[in-house]
Amino acid sequence: MLNWEQLAECLKILGDKTRLHILSLLKEDELCVCELVEILQISQPAVSQHMRKLKTAKLVKERRNGQWVFYSLDGSNYPFFESILETLPDMQKEIEELKKKGLRVLCN
Amino acid sequence: MLNWEQLAECLKILGDKTRLHILSLLKEDELCVCELVEILQISQPAVSQHMRKLKTAKLVKERRNGQWVFYSLDGSNYPFFESILETLPDMQKEIEELKKKGLRVLCN
DNA sequence: CAAATATATAAGCATATGCTTATATATTTG
DNA sequence: CAAATATATAAGCATATGCTTATATATTTG
């Protein structure tokens, strides 16, 4: 099960504005690093570093597709994760913006 | 309702081992600062500083009783709080220890 | 009111964190 | 295979964090 250390670690990882932003975006759909860079307006390494932390905490999983690495939610380890996700704002607008700019990698 | 910043702030406050320990103790019963000092084995100011953070995040409320200040859980602001509390380990033993040592302030 | 007890605040310090730029690695495509 | 594109890692820096000790404030009690 979930131990002490892991819980604190998970919550620490969740307690960052940028990472919550990322998670709320992933709630809509899987996204690759370059798409997140475009939306979040921070450097590519900054995004990669956040993704590594989220992956280590088992909050996201990754899937490589060609040159891109797509990240998606994986909260199955944490009973409270669903509940936190629900409190995150809707990000459909930001995903739409991305499509309009023609920067969406996959064609949904 | 709960905004962006507040959620990140709350989770950041939750993401600390010592504070999770405190919350799991408060799940059993309200406790005053000197009791927490005894259990956690950190300095009194360290405990007070944690309690201030927890109070600012509205995760605990305080009640003064004579010279003592008792803290108790107050997760009503966060829909996910119950769910996190459930994953915290049982602390009845540590409270019992305190009683045995005669360091329990209130006589329950 | 003075002493005892409990708690809060201030200042300082070692370590952690989130970003940046520079660079390495991985994959595709001509 | 070389160039282009995407991502990861390394190093450095400014700021945040959790603790400590010293001290201030609050309350009770003789």
Side-chain angles (χ1 to χ4, degrees):
Chain A
M1 255 290 306
L2 194 59
N3 76 37
W4 203 251
E5 300 268 0
Q6 287 170 322
L7 182 58
E9 191 54 30
C10 170
L11 291 167
K12 183 180 290 176
I13 296 300
L14 285 169
D16 175 86
K17 236 181 104 179
T18 305
R19 285 192 289 270
L20 285 182
H21 194 169
I22 291 171
L23 292 174
S24 60
L25 287 162
L26 295 183
K27 202 170 64 164
E28 300 293 331
D29 201 358
E30 65 171 8
L31 290 167
C32 69
V33 176
C34 59
E35 291 172 319
L36 287 167
V37 168
E38 176 60 30
I39 297 175
L40 299 171
Q41 294 291 311
I42 55 177
S43 70
Q44 175 268 311
V47 172
S48 282
Q49 284 158 19
H50 282 304
M51 298 326 286
R52 183 174 48 187
K53 287 185 185 183
L54 289 167
K55 201 177 66 175
T56 302
K58 306 214 177 205
L59 287 164
V60 304
K61 48 182 190 288
E62 73 177 41
R63 164 178 87 84
R64 186 172 264 282
N65 186 351
Q67 11 175 211
W68 298 281
V69 176
F70 288 90
Y71 287 94
S72 56
L73 295 181
D74 177 20
S76 50
N77 297 277
Y78 308 103
F80 51 82
F81 190 57
E82 276 298 320
S83 172
I84 288 177
L85 281 182
E86 279 169 28
T87 68
L88 292 172
D90 191 278
M91 288 292 136
Q92 218 150 11
K93 269 190 185 170
E94 287 188 66
I95 307 265
E96 282 306 321
E97 277 292 319
L98 198 69
K99 284 185 194 170
K100 271 184 201 154
K101 288 193 222 164
L103 295 170
R104 196 79 163 87
V105 172
L106 296 182
C107 332
N108 322 321
Chain B
M1 255 294 306
L2 193 61
N3 77 34
W4 203 250
E5 300 268 0
Q6 287 170 324
L7 181 58
E9 190 54 29
C10 170
L11 291 168
K12 183 181 290 176
I13 295 300
L14 285 170
D16 174 85
K17 236 182 104 179
T18 305
R19 285 191 290 269
L20 285 182
H21 194 169
I22 292 170
L23 292 175
S24 59
L25 287 162
L26 295 183
K27 202 170 62 164
E28 301 294 330
D29 201 357
E30 67 172 5
L31 290 167
C32 69
V33 176
C34 60
E35 291 172 317
L36 288 167
V37 168
E38 175 61 29
I39 297 176
L40 300 171
Q41 294 290 311
I42 55 177
S43 70
Q44 175 266 312
V47 172
S48 282
Q49 284 157 20
H50 283 303
M51 298 326 286
R52 183 173 49 187
K53 287 184 185 184
L54 289 167
K55 200 177 67 176
T56 303
K58 305 213 178 206
L59 287 163
V60 304
K61 49 182 190 287
E62 72 176 42
R63 165 178 87 82
R64 187 173 264 281
N65 186 349
Q67 12 176 208
W68 297 282
V69 176
F70 288 90
Y71 287 95
S72 56
L73 294 181
D74 179 21
S76 51
N77 297 277
Y78 308 103
F80 51 81
F81 191 57
E82 276 297 321
S83 171
I84 289 177
L85 282 182
E86 280 169 27
T87 69
L88 293 173
D90 189 278
M91 287 293 136
Q92 218 152 10
K93 270 189 185 171
E94 287 187 68
I95 306 265
E96 282 306 321
E97 277 293 319
L98 198 69
K99 284 185 194 170
K100 272 184 202 156
K101 288 194 225 167
L103 295 170
R104 197 78 164 89
V105 173
L106 296 182
C107 333
N108 321 322

